[in-house]
Structures are given as C-alpha cells and as structure tokens.
Amino acid sequence: MYCGERFESELLTVDHVQPRMRGGDRSGGNLVTACGACNARKGSLRVSEFLRLDDVARANFFRLAAPHVWPRILRSVKEELVQGAPKARR
Ligand SMILES: [Zn+2]
C-alpha cells in the first residue's frame, strides 16, 4: 500500500489505518497491507504521520487504498495530514 510493489501474501503485514486504541476496528475497510520494509519504516507512526513524511507512500496510499478504505477513515487521514494528528496539536 505504501511502496506500491506487489508481494506474496506471507511477506505482507496488516496495518490498521485508524489505530485500535482510537476506535479503529478490524473490518476490511480499516486494514491495509504493507511489506516488511515499509512496515519497518513506518514503525509506530500513525498512517497520517508516515504519509506526511513520505511522498511516494502518500501517493500510493490514496491511489491504492481509496477504493476500499472506509470513506470516513480516509477522510480522517486526510484531515490529519492537513491539521496534524490530534495529539500533536499545540
Ligand atoms: Zn512496501
């Protein structure tokens, strides 16, 4: 979802777009796959924080994720990209 490359499914990790602790669920509309390298680069960053830092990941995420991530979750990722994550507000 981030580098845009294709991998065998056993090489992919599953990422919650909206973190579980912030009410994200396990439905398919809240899950994206990432390869091991992207998952390691993303670390514990929120999706929006990672996308802000990585232009390629941002372009791929909105191209590849948009068709299947819940619209409400996509909207909150876009809002966080513009405004910063809630905890980062000063
Ligand atoms: Zn990747």
Side-chain angles (χ1 to χ4, degrees), residues 50-60:
F50 178 57
L51 297 184
R52 188 181 298 126
L53 297 173
D54 191 320
D55 293 342
V56 173
R58 187 169 61 239
N60 283 324

Side-chain angles (χ1 to χ4, degrees), residues 28-82:
N30 190 39
L31 299 175
V32 294
T33 55
C35 72
C38 288
N39 191 54
R41 278 190 301 132
K42 177 172 173 289
S44 61
L45 291 176
R46 297 170 61 80
V47 170
S48 60
E49 292 170 325
F50 178 57
L51 297 184
R52 188 181 298 126
L53 297 173
D54 191 320
D55 293 342
V56 173
R58 187 169 61 239
N60 283 324
F61 179 85
F62 286 115
R63 180 171 59 89
L64 299 168
H68 82 96
V69 172
W70 302 131
R72 142 183 86 77
I73 293 176
L74 264 188
R75 210 155 47 231
S76 75
V77 170
K78 284 179 184 164
E79 281 170 13
E80 286 180 21
L81 267 173
V82 175

